[in-house]
Amino acid sequence: MVGSRSQTNLGGDPQTIQGVVKHFGSRYGTSNKEIHRQPKNFDDSELETLLNDYPDDETENRQRGIEKEIKYPKSVFFIISSEFCERFSYYGMRGVLALYLKDSLHYTENNATIIYHMFIVLCYFTPLFGGIMADAWLGKYNTILYVSLLYATGNIVLSFGSVAAFSIPHRELSFLGLFLIAVGTGGIKPCVSSFGGDQFILPQQEQQLRSFFSIFYFSINAGSVISSFLTPMLREYHCLGSNEDCYPLAFGLPAALMIVALVIFVFGSPMYKRNNPQGNIALQVVGCIGHAVAKKISSTKKKEHWLDYAEDKYSVKLIADIKVLMKLIYLFTPTIVFWALYDQQGSKWTFQASRMDGDLGWFTIQPDQMQTLDALLVLFFIPLFESIIYPFLAKLRLVRNPLQKLTVGGFLAAFAFLLSGALEIYIQQENAPSPGSGQSEVILYNPLSCAADVNRLSNKVVLPPQDFLDLKKISSEPVNVTISTACAGSWTGFLELKEKEIFSFMLLNKDEKLSLIRLNMTGGNMEMVKSQSSNPKLKILFSNTDQLSISAQTIDNVRNFTVYYASHQSQQIEMPLNGRYIITVNDTVVANVNLKQGGIYILMLEGDLKNLTSKLLTVVKPNAISMLWQIPQYVVITCAEIMFAITGLEFSYSESPNSMKSVISSLWLLTDSFGNIIVLIIAGFKMANAAHEMFFYSGLMSIVMLFFISLAYRYSYVDRIKRNQEEDEDVILVDQTRI
């Protein structure tokens, strides 16, 4: 340190002032910036006292045990608790969103996937504006506060819009709620983590800061675990006078938790350390880049970096910060694909689970509950990685820095989708394919008490009594069929078939004469497609001419059917739960049936109203492959998430200049948005085979990570101690003009 401790040298020597500030700040855990932003009542005599009381030699101070330990900021616990509730709200809502779009708003699976990922795109695009608001105008605290009010309003609107009993524009209100939620969660995303980071003093609390990001991510997943498990259970119940799934309750609880998150955040206000906004940094960045490009084009001089051409108008520090920003943007580009894979847990992986069996005997897993596994594993893996895996890998000199962690995480995500694709092939082998090109499928139901001989061309098959016959892969050309029975005579005629369509017919005995009626005039293929929620489907057939009102009931749920006399059939209804149902006609129990996940069933009734007999037919087999087979891919994607998402969050904060903390955090989140845009683009191609689509994602991720390795190899880390010293010197010089 330069300068004596005499009064004469203290008057205006910035080096002397700088030295005092550094020593005083290091002893009391206070940054230089905090001390020198106190121009009021500041004189040289105070500086002399400080110099005499606190010597220069930091080593000597440590040896004497004089240096005061900096306490862990209590304010971060309010931030972490608030984040827990907010993530409970977000993931609870998001966990059932795909099924809500399909089952309640009646979108197709592909359209529901597109809308779902469009919502995520918006959630991770709006952080860019939230970061700019925080750094430029409002500050992080005010941005979190104001946008959270918008967030809570969106949850309330979505919950209200999902009430089927109200005569309201459900789609419009749901989309309005989703828009407000996306703006709300996006607005606070870049601010919360960086606001928590602001509570620490660097570089003295660098280790505590690193642990904060792990705890912060732990709280995110703790909220996700509970909500992802609980909200699908709330969805299953009927409420508000409706027999449909209870989405108002499933969305209502997240709305309540968002309000709680807001209250907790406000409660910690007196403890927060708040950094003032640095001005409209976004406009400064755009202006500096534009000026540098213009000067480079018009100038004949050569400079080391193209941004250096802006030195005539903009400060060297701003130019240096923008260089870091551009370097990080370039580095973040390949990471976009990771989020394209990761976020499909809520869409493609959930739809995959819907074709699997969640029955554990003592508990039945719902497809949208499988997402809970990722968050649950994160809670276990975070301490495991921090205490065992990372130290072990560091000893082996395999993974020693953030970019190496990001690389390994990317390849693990590719491997997870390789496992998912292999599982999808296994699932497809268990499920009968739909008729292909030039083919049709015919299903014949026989409610009669005698068998029927079905002759088509030279082939003859027997249709047992009270049973069905599924003729697959037959020619889509019109076919001449003769059906003969011992109890109702015979019928001969042509069946007009169409390519790639499924046709259902039922035999009837009218006045001792056999006839054939078509059951599914439209939508025959959809009746043979399993529910995306994995719930069983049930349809009732009745050969007589009476109209029946039928009830299928469990302890908690009821579904009502009507069999119309003209069509001899009811509508096909998706049952809310697998398990046993009591079937009643006019309060008389006629059957007790067991419906399993993914199964498609026909309940065939025969006789008159006083003497009905029933038989349950399994038209499409229930799901046979256990959902537990998804565990390996979830374990791998969770390991990828630990090494990629947490590391990226910490890396984007620690490498960014102080003036751009929120903006660069929002850029990291923006990669998630672009990742979901990739999903939308690929979904637009409508790949016929889900397994091939998953293999495609795996290959794309692998190729991108090879490119990322080349970028990471050339990346040079920021010297944080040097950067903090330079920023403190800038603050000192600015504040000296005020003194």
Side-chain angles (χ1 to χ4, degrees), residues 447-728:
L448 306 178
S449 57
C450 60
D453 294 331
V454 181
N455 296 276
R456 58 184 183 91
L457 299 178
S458 60
N459 298 325
K460 177 181 178 182
V461 291
V462 177
L463 175 55
Q466 294 188 329
D467 210 335
F468 77 101
L469 183 65
D470 191 353
L471 304 175
K472 299 179 181 293
K473 297 182 179 180
I474 64 176
S475 173
S476 57
E477 301 293 329
V479 59
N480 186 27
V481 175
T482 298
I483 303 175
S484 303
T485 67
C487 58
S490 61
W491 176 90
T492 300
F494 277 94
L495 298 182
E496 296 289 339
L497 306 180
K498 291 183 180 180
E499 184 181 52
K500 299 182 180 180
E501 295 236 358
I502 301 174
F503 298 83
S504 297
F505 301 91
M506 183 168 69
L507 305 182
L508 290 178
N509 184 0
K510 291 186 177 181
D511 301 325
E512 303 300 323
K513 188 175 181 180
L514 187 66
S515 64
L516 191 70
I517 65 166
R518 182 176 172 183
L519 295 177
N520 56 333
M521 299 305 293
T522 59
N525 288 43
M526 290 305 300
E527 287 193 356
M528 298 296 289
V529 174
K530 292 185 176 185
S531 163
Q532 291 300 328
S533 62
S534 87
N535 293 332
K537 290 181 177 181
L538 179 63
K539 186 175 185 176
I540 299 175
L541 301 181
F542 184 48
S543 60
N544 282 0
T545 56
D546 298 301
Q547 181 164 307
L548 302 182
S549 294
I550 303 170
S551 168
Q553 187 170 1
T554 64
I555 296 176
D556 298 312
N557 294 278
V558 62
R559 291 292 186 267
N560 296 314
F561 298 79
T562 300
V563 176
Y564 299 97
Y565 68 90
S567 62
H568 300 277
Q569 63 181 321
S570 72
Q571 68 277 40
Q572 186 185 68
I573 294 181
E574 183 176 320
M575 309 305 286
L577 293 170
N578 62 303
R580 293 205 165 272
Y581 283 83
I582 298 173
I583 310 297
T584 60
V585 178
N586 297 336
D587 297 325
T588 301
V589 177
V590 297
N592 192 325
V593 298
N594 186 23
L595 309 181
K596 297 182 178 181
Q597 269 185 316
I600 298 179
Y601 299 92
I602 293 288
L603 181 64
M604 192 176 289
L605 299 179
E606 184 66 19
D608 55 37
L609 292 179
K610 295 181 180 180
N611 187 26
L612 284 174
T613 61
S614 65
K615 185 176 182 180
L616 184 68
L617 305 176
T618 304
V619 182
V620 175
K621 293 181 180 180
N623 300 340
I625 301 173
S626 174
M627 285 186 198
L628 299 182
W629 281 106
Q630 280 195 322
I631 291 179
Q633 66 198 52
Y634 271 102
V635 169
V636 176
I637 199 71
T638 303
C639 291
E641 178 185 2
I642 297 292
M643 302 190 78
F644 200 95
I646 298 179
T647 304
L649 192 65
E650 177 194 339
F651 179 79
S652 62
Y653 180 86
S654 60
E655 291 292 294
S656 59
N658 288 337
S659 62
M660 300 181 182
K661 293 291 186 187
S662 295
V663 171
I664 291 183
S665 292
S666 67
L667 289 175
W668 170 252
L669 296 170
L670 192 62
T671 61
D672 199 325
S673 177
F674 288 133
N676 282 271
I677 291 176
I678 292 175
V679 177
L680 294 175
I681 294 171
I682 295 175
F685 286 102
K686 298 181 181 179
M687 290 190 185
N689 192 303
H692 295 168
E693 187 173 352
M694 291 175 182
F695 290 142
F696 173 80
Y697 279 111
S698 179
L700 180 63
M701 187 75 225
S702 300
I703 294 171
V704 164
M705 291 316 297
L706 292 175
F707 176 59
F708 180 77
I709 290 174
S710 67
L711 296 181
Y713 182 77
R714 297 192 297 270
Y715 184 84
S716 57
Y717 288 86
V718 171
D719 187 337
R720 276 174 275 175
I721 295 177
K722 180 180 179 182
R723 182 179 63 193
N724 288 340
Q725 290 174 346
E726 291 173 350
E727 290 181 348
D728 289 336

Side-chain angles (χ1 to χ4, degrees), residues 81-101:
S81 299
S82 176
E83 182 68 6
F84 168 84
C85 295
E86 186 272 328
R87 291 291 87 184
F88 184 109
S89 173
Y90 176 75
Y91 282 107
M93 176 278 304
R94 178 173 146 175
V96 298
L97 179 59
L99 296 180
Y100 172 69
L101 293 169

